[in-house]
Amino acid sequence: MNTPSAEISIAEALAWARKHIPPPEARLLLRYICRTSAAHLAAWPEKPLPAAQWEAFQHFVKRRATGEPIAYLTNEREFYGRNFLVNASVLIPRPETELLVELAVAHFAAVPHPKVLDLGTGSGVLAITLALELDRPTITATDISSDALAVATTNALRFGVTISFLWSDWYLLLKRKDRFQLIVANPPYIVEGDSHLTQGDLRFEPLPALASGQDGLTALTAIVAGAGHHLENGGWLFLEHGYDQAAAVRSLLTNAGFTDIASWKDIAGIERVSGARWKTGQIKSS
């Protein structure tokens, strides 16, 4: 990948980058490097780039040209209208996951101080967004990755919310008395060995947060099986899952004794989240 060596303008830098990556991505990366707006880049195309910014821009363009996700280059991704810190320790938040937030808000907007559990919190986007959207909730968020919990903790500090982060394999380190009105999870649900894991952004994301057993249902099965031990009477469980897993998840919920079982479609019209209510008066012994 040949790069000019002399002093270069904004327009020239973008022209060089467009040979290697799409123009919108080139502009986004240059805006990030220069800490400026799209309007500024458009208004001053002849402005020379400082040497350090030009060097950094070349480095980012080369990394992006190999397929590295922009979110990992800029260490930022927007979710539910807010910008969160992300890195290669966590999944990149995706628009379809916002459906989990929408369902939680729809069911709990009028509930004061709801008790919420976020399983496999990753970067913390679900826990933090619910902390900001619900009425003074008490939120516990678990993850088995210490690196992910460090990212989530940083994001919580960024948004000024209080969340109890816990290193745990799903429910394992929760106390017997810990019960919640709402459990949400965006667990791994891709089949191990699926060809998609070697394509696009997924190549760079943490595999344990993506793949889950030979049928993709290992994590979902564990979460459904344990939910009754930690849900209050009438509590809700909402789970994100794969595009073809809604029926299987509804079956898991039925077999576990849940009621009001349903699936909801994401912005692409795909059944992306399934959920249900724990029977009123029914509490599993732990």
Side-chain angles (χ1 to χ4, degrees), residues 1-4 13-23 25-26 54 57-58 61-67:
M1 184 183 290
N2 295 325
T3 57
L14 289 173
W16 168 79
R18 285 195 295 270
K19 297 176 183 178
H20 310 290
I21 62 176
E25 295 183 356
W54 169 228
F57 184 55
Q58 293 175 66
V61 169
K62 291 174 182 178
R63 288 170 62 185
R64 178 57 186 155
T66 68

Side-chain angles (χ1 to χ4, degrees), residues 89-93 97 100 116-128 139-149 152 163-172 174 183-189 206 208-210 219-220 223 237-240:
S89 300
V90 299
L91 291 183
I92 299 168
T97 303
L100 280 170
V116 181
L117 173 63
D118 175 24
L119 293 169
T121 192
S123 61
V125 294
L126 281 176
I128 293 165
I139 299 182
T140 299
T142 72
D143 206 290
I144 199 170
S145 166
S146 298
D147 291 337
L149 288 174
I163 294 170
S164 296
F165 290 109
L166 176 66
W167 184 93
S168 179
D169 187 2
W170 308 129
Y171 308 99
L172 185 62
L174 292 175
I183 298 176
V184 296
N186 176 21
Y189 52 72
L210 292 167
L220 288 160
I223 292 170
L237 170 66
F238 294 115
L239 299 164
E240 180 173 329

Side-chain angles (χ1 to χ4, degrees), residues 8-193:
I8 192 167
S9 68
I10 287 174
E12 291 169 331
L14 289 173
W16 168 79
R18 285 195 295 270
K19 297 176 183 178
H20 310 290
I21 62 176
E25 295 183 356
R27 289 192 294 271
L28 190 155
L29 289 176
L30 190 57
R31 285 178 54 198
Y32 174 76
I33 293 294
C34 297
R35 296 295 192 270
T36 192
S37 65
H40 178 86
L41 295 183
W44 304 97
E46 74 284 356
K47 184 177 180 179
L49 284 179
Q53 291 182 348
W54 169 228
E55 182 178 352
F57 184 55
Q58 293 175 66
H59 178 64
F60 274 39
V61 169
K62 291 174 182 178
R63 288 170 62 185
R64 178 57 186 155
T66 68
E68 189 169 350
I70 286 182
Y72 289 163
L73 296 175
T74 63
N75 293 126
E76 195 170 75
R77 175 55 67 93
E78 186 267 342
F79 182 82
Y80 216 76
R82 302 176 178 96
N83 289 323
F84 289 83
L85 167 70
V86 295
N87 61 30
S89 300
V90 299
L91 291 183
I92 299 168
R94 290 169 169 80
E96 54 265 32
T97 303
E98 294 185 357
L99 179 57
L100 280 170
V101 176
E102 293 169 3
L103 289 168
V105 171
H107 285 75
F108 286 89
V111 178
H113 307 293
K115 293 180 290 185
V116 181
L117 173 63
D118 175 24
L119 293 169
T121 192
S123 61
V125 294
L126 281 176
I128 293 165
T129 302
L130 292 177
L132 295 166
E133 296 293 328
L134 298 178
D135 180 12
R136 296 161 292 165
T138 298
I139 299 182
T140 299
T142 72
D143 206 290
I144 199 170
S145 166
S146 298
D147 291 337
L149 288 174
V151 174
T153 300
T154 300
N155 277 321
L157 291 171
R158 172 185 285 197
F159 290 101
V161 297
T162 300
I163 294 170
S164 296
F165 290 109
L166 176 66
W167 184 93
S168 179
D169 187 2
W170 308 129
Y171 308 99
L172 185 62
L173 296 185
L174 292 175
K175 298 176 181 177
R176 288 187 177 184
K177 65 179 181 180
D178 291 337
R179 297 191 183 275
F180 305 88
Q181 293 161 283
L182 169 66
I183 298 176
V184 296
N186 176 21
Y189 52 72
I190 299 176
V191 174
E192 290 180 358

